Amino acid sequence: MPSWRTTLTTAGISGTRLREDYTHAARRVLRREPAPYLALRLLAAPPLVPYLAAGLAFMNLVDDVAETGTPQQRAAGLAALTERVGTALKSGDSPDPVVRAYTHAVDSRGLPGHWVTRFLAGAATAEAGFDGFADEAGFQAYLDAYAWPGVLVFTGLQYQGGPDPEQAAGWRRFVDAAQRVDFLADLHGDLADGRLCIPLARLDEHSVTRADLERARDTPAVRALLAAESRRARAALDATHGILDLAEPGLRPVIATMADLMAHQLTAVERAGAGALRRDVGYGLAAPLRILLRAAASRKASRRPTSTRR
């Protein structure tokens, strides 16, 4: 793995201030999401790494503002952030190093600005004002408004000029699976924060109440509901097959690792059953390390020159 300085140089990022901006963004990602950061550093092609790190830092920044404070504080914070980002996209400058790095990445990689503005708009509506889903249509609307543009402000930077319609549709399938797995894995914490991320219509189908989930009741109906949600997540994960063909070669090992981690976490959710209501289901430590090391070894082997006998 090349040093961070070499990685910045390989990506064509020059100038002390700009390199410091990208370094600041990368450190923010490392503190908040070490597993995705390590996957990028170990597995992605170096010319892509700084841009994707800046994209992930920006996505996390918006998420944090959308989820912090009272509804009024979230709304005010997102309005201010949207204004700052809009100004930065036009001027190329900002007082925030994460925003500076990200807008430079957007300009350098040619990501269409509508993905950025759509994500910010979704953060201010679908996320900041989140009050659950009435049915599957509500969940799908949430994906369209927030989760899909959210993943593309990050992964869209892999494509020079932004994703084409087929690539964007592939990421729509990917985020459908990722969001289902994430909601199941974080059931306990979300309920503790007053967020119910399973559509109410599905609770009704199984004669389960919100109180049943909040009190972590281990009943046949609750277990049936969680099993059905896990099957939906598994089907959505199966539907992401083919995403590697839509990714740039330099990012394919990262995407494969992300898919493996999702599958691992979903398996843990399935095993936990009603236990997922009593504690969040994380990745653990051993499995992510094992998956990352296996992917790194595979990438190294694929780059090794093939010797021939004479």
Side-chain angles (χ1 to χ4, degrees):
M1 178 177 69
S3 71
W4 179 247
R5 288 184 178 182
T6 300
T7 300
L8 288 171
T9 301
T10 302
I13 296 169
S14 59
T16 301
R17 187 195 193 202
L18 187 58
R19 289 168 72 93
E20 288 176 350
D21 290 342
Y22 275 93
T23 301
H24 179 90
R27 286 174 177 165
R28 190 184 198 282
V29 175
L30 177 59
R31 288 193 301 270
R32 191 180 187 275
E33 295 196 89
Y37 175 81
L38 289 174
L40 281 177
R41 290 288 281 126
L42 287 169
L43 303 176
L48 291 176
V49 170
Y51 300 114
L52 291 164
L56 189 51
F58 176 73
M59 183 180 73
N60 289 339
L61 171 64
V62 176
D63 282 345
D64 290 345
V65 175
E67 296 173 359
T68 302
T70 65
Q72 293 78 15
Q73 289 170 330
R74 294 197 295 268
L78 286 165
L81 179 59
T82 298
E83 183 176 356
R84 292 201 305 272
V85 172
T87 299
L89 287 170
K90 293 176 183 176
S91 68
D93 198 13
S94 170
D96 186 333
V98 170
V99 174
R100 284 199 304 268
Y102 182 65
T103 53
H104 178 269
V106 168
D107 180 66
S108 299
R109 301 297 296 169
L111 181 70
H114 68 80
W115 288 114
V116 182
T117 55
R118 185 172 173 178
F119 178 47
L120 288 165
T125 53
E127 181 62 11
F130 181 85
D131 60 357
F133 310 119
D135 50 25
E136 177 66 18
F139 171 71
Q140 294 297 328
Y142 175 88
L143 296 185
D144 285 332
Y146 182 63
W148 184 28
V151 79
L152 280 173
V153 298
F154 158 46
T155 61
L157 294 168
Q158 70 185 286
Y159 308 108
Q160 188 66 51
D164 63 29
E166 183 182 8
Q167 291 162 340
W171 286 104
R172 175 60 170 74
R173 294 191 300 275
F174 190 88
V175 79
D176 185 301
Q179 197 67 78
R180 290 179 194 274
V181 173
D182 185 63
F183 280 160
L184 285 171
D186 293 345
L187 263 175
H188 170 75
D190 283 342
L191 287 167
D193 290 339
R195 290 168 59 101
L196 173 60
C197 299
I198 298 175
L200 292 175
R202 297 220 270 273
L203 270 67
D204 292 341
E205 288 173 14
H206 292 273
S207 299
V208 171
T209 67
R210 180 171 183 147
D212 290 333
L213 301 181
E214 290 174 337
R215 295 172 186 172
R217 289 176 176 153
D218 189 350
T219 67
V222 167
R223 290 195 296 273
L225 168 67
L226 297 180
E229 291 303 296
S230 294
R231 287 194 295 273
R232 286 186 175 89
R234 182 68 66 183
L237 193 56
D238 290 343
T240 66
H241 291 166
I243 187 69
L244 290 184
D245 295 332
L246 300 176
E248 287 294 297
L251 197 60
R252 286 173 188 168
V254 177
I255 307 309
T257 299
M258 290 169 63
D260 284 347
L261 286 170
M262 275 199 297
H264 166 77
Q265 192 169 32
L266 180 54
T267 297
V269 167
E270 292 166 338
R271 289 174 178 165
L277 298 172
R278 294 187 291 274
R279 63 185 184 282
D280 286 345
V281 181
Y283 291 117
L285 180 61
L289 284 175
R290 184 172 63 250
I291 291 169
L292 276 172
L293 291 173
R294 185 173 65 236
S298 177
R299 182 174 183 269
K300 184 177 180 179
S302 69
R303 297 176 62 186
R304 187 179 299 131
T306 303
S307 61
T308 56
R309 291 185 176 181
R310 292 175 178 250

